[in-house]
Amino acid sequence: MKSPFRATLLFSTSASVLLALGHASSAQTPPPASAGTTTLPSIEVVEPKHTQPPRRPKKPVLTTRREAPPPAAPPPSAAQVLTSTNDKFDTARQSIVAPLGATAHQLNHQAIEAMPQGTDAPLDKVLLQFPGVTQDSAASGEFHVRNEHANVQYRINGIMLPDGVGAFGQILDTGIIGSLALLTGALPAQYGLHTAGVLDIQTKTDAFDNTGKVGVYGGSHGTITPSFEYGGTVGQTQYFVSGRYFQSSVGIENPTSSYNAIHDNTQQEKGFLYLSTVLDPTSRLTYIGGVSNGTYQIPNNPGQTPNFTAFGVSNFDSSQLNERQTEFNQFNVVAYQKSFEDIDMQLSYFNRYSQLHFYPDTIGDLVFNGVASDVYRQSFVNGIQEDTAWRVGYAHTLRFGFSVSSERTLVNNYSTVLPLLDPTDPTSGTVDAPFSIFDSNSATGWLIGTYLQDEWRINNQLTLNVGLRFDQMYQFVDANQFSPRANLVWKPFDGTAFHAGYSRNFTPPEQVIATPVNLALVQGTSQQPQVGTNSPVLPERSNVYDVGVDQKIHAIPGLEVGIDAYYKTARDLLDDGQFGAAYVLTGFNYERGENAGVELKAKYANGNFQAYANFAWAKQIASNVVSNQYLFGADELAYIATHDVYTDHAQTWTGSAGASYLWNGTRFSASMIYGSGLRSGFANTDHLPGYTQVNLGVSHDFNIVAPNKPTTIRFDVVNLFDTIYEIRDGSGIGVFAPQYGPRRGFYVGISQKL
C-alpha cells in the first residue's frame, strides 16, 4: 500500500514532467501519429504575462546653497547691563516691603502725564484723584485720606521720610515720580507710625539714558513755573536731577470769592537728586536728596471789624495787613541694598531738616486779634531703617526690620499782647499798653520700632500674612505698644482678589505740634484762655478692620472694579488745627473716636482711551477733648465732652473721575472732583455746601528738533465752569479763616526733550 505522501510526490513529479514536455513542444509541430500507438492531446502552456511593478515617483533631491549663519546678536552694552542689574534691585526692593493685604491705588508716570496739567500739577492735586481722598485748604493739611487729619506717611523707594514742620507747600515735585501708590486699610507690620495712608513713591527709573527735559508752564494769576530734569549713566552710576521754580499771585487759598486774591504772592524753589551705584552684582548704594524753599504772603480778607486798640490805632484796613511766612525743607537718604540667595535687605540712613517762620503784622494783628505772634519752628531728624525679606521656601517669606530716629525740635513764640483791665476776667477788656512775652521750648525725642511677619502661601489662591510690631516713643510723653497685624488675600479665579485684614496701630503725635505752651505767660493778657487746662498730647491707639475685593470684568476687556469697606475705633484720637493767625498747626486728642467708610472704584483702558471713577462715603465722629483743652472755648469744650461730634475734616461724600484719549498724536484729558462739604459751625455741627470742579487738558508732541526728541505743547483749564465754592468758611474746630477753591484759570506749557 502506497502512502499518501508517496502518491502525492509521484503526481507532482509526473505533472512537472508533462509541463516540461509541453513547454518544449510548444515551439515545434507535433509528429504524425504511428499505428498502434495512443496519441496524447497536445498541451499548450501560455507563459504568464509579466507586469511591471508600479513606478514609484522619484524623490526630488533638494540642493540648497549653504548660507552664512545669521550674525550673532551684539553683546549688551555696559549701560544695558547696568540697567538690567538695577531693575533686579528695584524688583527685590519692592518685595522687601510688599504691602500684602493693604488696599493699594496706583498711578504711574504716564497716567499722571495724561491728566490735566500733567507733571506740572502739585502732588496734593494728583492725590485727589484717588478713592477716599478729600480736598482741604493748605492751612489745614491740603488733603485727607479716609477722613483722617495728617497721619499720612511718605516713603521714597521704600524708605520712610520723617515729619517736617511745614504748614503748606509740598516738598516733593510730581515730576520725579516713576510710580505712585496710596496704601490704606489694615497695613502689614512693616508700616508703623502714620497708618491712615502710606504714600509710596518710586522714583523714575527710565531716565538714565543721558536725556532730559526742559519746560516752562504758566498762565492765570501770574503763574510761571520753569522746570528741568536730566538723567544719565556714568560707569556703574546712574543719576537723575530735577529742579522747579514756581511763582503765582495766589500762593494759598483766597479767603474771599473774588477772582484775584489780595496780598497772596508766593515764590517757591524745589530740587531733587538721585544717585545709584552698583557696587557688585549683589549690592547697590543709593542716595536721594531733596530741598524746597518757599515764601508766602498771607492773603487778606477786606472789611474785617477791629476788636482792640493798640499803639493808639483802633481803626485798621484789613486789606492792608502784611503777614508773611517762609518754609524750608531738606532731606537726605543713603541706602545700602543687598540681595543674595533667598535674602533681600536694605539698610538706610535718613535725615530731614525743616524750618518755618511766621512774621506778623504787629499793629494790624493786635487790632484785629489782640495778639501778634512771631512763630518760629525748627526740626532736625536723624534715623536709620532696616528691612529684610527672607524667602524660607516656596510657602513662606519672613520679613523683619527696625527703625530708630531722633528728633530735635525748637519752638519759639515771640508774642506782643495787651493787658486786661481785670486780670481775673478775660472778658473785662484790654488796655492800650502792648508788651511782649517769649515762650520757647526745645526737646529731643526718640521713636523706636521693630516688626516680624510671615507671608504664608497656603496654596496658589490663598495667602495669609501675620505679623507683630512694637513701637516705643520718648517725647513729651513716653509710651509704647505691641501691635498684631493679620491680612488674608484670596484669589479664587483669574482677575478676582479678595482681601481682609486687621491691624492694631500706634500713632505718636508729631513732636513739633505736641510742644506744650506756658500758659502762665499769658495770664492777665488778651491771650488768656477761657480754659486753663493744658494736658499733654497723647499717642493714638486704634483698631482697623478692612475688607474688599478687586475684579477684572472679562466680558468687558480692560474694565476693573473694586469695593472696599473699613471701620476704625480709636482711643486718644489725634487731631490738630489752626488756632491763631499764624499758619501753624497745634495738636490735641479726643478721648474716643470712630471712623467708617465705603469706597467704590472703577477704571477702564482700551487702546488709546483710559477712564476712571471713584466714589466714597465716610463718617468720623469723636468726643471729649483730653489734651490741650485751652485751645477751646468753655462752652464748646463742655458740648464735646457730652456729645459725639464730627471732626472738622470729615466729609460724607467724596468723588473723583477722569478720562484721556490719544488721537493722532493729540491727547485730550478731563478730571473732576466732588465734595459734599467739610464741617463748620459751633462744634462742627454744620457743614459747607457741596461742590464739583472740572478740569480739562490737551497736549500734543511735535517733532521739531528730532523724532525721538519731541516738543510737547499743552493747554489746560482749571475749574472749567468757574464754580465758586468754599473749602472752609472760618468756623468749626481749629479753623481760623475762610478759604475758597481755585477760580477758573487758563494755563499753557511747552517742554523740550533733550
Side-chain angles (χ1 to χ4, degrees), residues 591-636:
E591 182 181 16
R592 298 177 304 277
E594 291 185 13
N595 193 25
V598 178
E599 298 169 350
L600 301 173
K601 63 180 180 179
K603 63 179 181 179
Y604 176 72
N606 184 2
N608 293 333
F609 178 75
Q610 297 181 354
Y612 63 90
N614 309 299
F615 198 64
W617 170 87
K619 179 181 180 181
Q620 187 179 72
I621 56 175
S623 63
N624 195 23
V625 176
V626 293
S627 65
N628 277 347
Q629 297 90 335
Y630 77 95
L631 298 170
F632 297 80
D635 54 347
E636 193 172 48

Side-chain angles (χ1 to χ4, degrees), residues 418-431 522-530:
L418 300 170
L420 294 174
L421 284 170
D422 181 357
T424 63
D425 182 7
T427 64
S428 63
T430 59
V431 179
V522 297
Q523 294 302 310
T525 74
S526 52
Q527 283 301 289
Q528 180 176 321
Q530 295 181 14

Side-chain angles (χ1 to χ4, degrees), residues 634-684:
D635 54 347
E636 193 172 48
L637 191 67
Y639 182 88
I640 299 172
T642 57
H643 295 78
D644 286 332
V645 299
Y646 288 92
T647 55
D648 72 284
H649 41 272
Q651 181 168 266
T652 305
W653 300 101
T654 302
S656 62
S660 68
Y661 181 65
L662 183 63
W663 178 72
N664 288 340
T666 301
R667 183 176 298 279
F668 300 90
S669 61
S671 67
M672 179 273 290
I673 58 173
Y674 166 78
S676 61
L678 296 173
R679 307 305 301 187
S680 62
F682 173 81
N684 295 338

Side-chain angles (χ1 to χ4, degrees), residues 128-452:
L128 295 180
Q129 301 303 316
F130 283 128
V133 179
T134 303
Q135 180 182 213
D136 203 346
S137 64
S140 298
E142 297 178 312
F143 67 93
H144 305 289
V145 175
R146 291 188 166 184
N147 274 354
E148 299 275 10
H149 199 298
N151 202 17
V152 174
Q153 179 182 144
Y154 290 81
R155 290 195 174 208
I156 293 184
N157 294 347
I159 304 165
M160 181 178 62
L161 293 183
D163 299 318
V165 300
F168 40 76
Q170 292 285 337
I171 185 173
L172 299 174
D173 183 53
T174 310
I176 71 171
I177 296 173
S179 65
L180 174 67
L182 176 62
L183 311 178
T184 58
L187 299 178
Q190 68 261 35
Y191 299 100
L193 304 181
H194 300 308
T195 51
V198 175
L199 196 60
D200 188 13
I201 298 171
Q202 301 295 320
T203 53
K204 294 174 66 173
T205 58
D206 58 349
F208 306 117
D209 52 355
N210 298 313
T211 62
K213 183 175 70 172
V214 293
V216 62
Y217 186 80
S220 299
H221 307 293
T223 301
I224 183 73
T225 173
S227 62
F228 77 93
E229 62 182 51
Y230 194 86
T233 301
V234 178
Q236 295 297 303
T237 300
Q238 293 180 330
Y239 66 91
F240 175 80
V241 60
S242 69
R244 179 181 294 274
Y245 172 79
F246 179 85
Q247 176 181 300
S248 176
S249 62
V250 182
I252 55 179
E253 290 83 8
N254 192 343
T256 74
S257 61
S258 62
Y259 187 82
N260 294 309
I262 302 172
H263 192 263
D264 197 12
N265 293 328
T266 184
Q267 294 180 345
Q268 304 169 33
E269 303 91 25
K270 297 180 182 179
F272 181 81
L273 175 63
Y274 175 90
L275 296 171
S276 175
T277 298
V278 174
L279 304 178
D280 57 58
T282 65
S283 59
R284 176 173 69 169
L285 189 65
T286 301
Y287 168 81
I288 305 172
V291 62
S292 69
N293 182 56
T295 60
Y296 305 85
Q297 291 179 335
I298 305 303
N300 294 332
N301 191 358
Q304 301 302 298
T305 302
N307 298 307
F308 302 90
T309 299
F311 300 105
V313 178
S314 60
N315 189 14
F316 196 101
D317 184 357
S318 58
S319 66
Q320 300 300 312
L321 284 168
N322 185 25
E323 299 170 332
R324 296 169 294 116
Q325 186 158 308
T326 62
E327 295 187 9
F328 177 82
N329 292 277
Q330 194 265 340
F331 71 90
N332 298 280
V333 174
V334 178
Y336 173 75
Q337 187 178 347
K338 184 76 172 180
S339 295
F340 57 96
E341 296 181 353
D342 296 323
I343 295 178
D344 299 313
M345 59 84 64
Q346 181 169 263
L347 177 65
S348 310
Y349 162 76
F350 57 84
N351 66 43
R352 175 167 178 167
Y353 176 79
S354 296
Q355 175 184 295
L356 176 152
H357 195 174
F358 175 83
Y359 301 89
D361 184 314
T362 303
I363 297 178
D365 284 359
L366 277 170
V367 170
F368 290 105
N369 306 315
V371 60
S373 297
D374 186 307
V375 178
Y376 178 82
R377 291 182 172 182
Q378 176 183 290
S379 168
F380 185 57
V381 181
N382 282 281
I384 57 174
Q385 176 185 328
E386 195 279 335
D387 298 282
T388 298
W390 177 23
R391 293 174 294 280
V392 180
Y394 172 78
H396 292 274
T397 299
L398 292 180
R399 293 185 174 91
F400 50 89
F402 69 90
S403 63
V404 179
S405 65
S406 172
E407 179 177 15
R408 180 69 177 176
T409 57
L410 173 64
V411 176
N412 291 338
N413 193 334
Y414 183 84
S415 299
T416 303
V417 296
L418 300 170
L420 294 174
L421 284 170
D422 181 357
T424 63
D425 182 7
T427 64
S428 63
T430 59
V431 179
D432 185 6
F435 67 98
S436 298
I437 57 176
F438 181 67
D439 188 3
S440 180
N441 193 305
S442 61
T444 299
W446 292 83
L447 292 175
I448 303 170
T450 185
Y451 68 91
L452 173 65

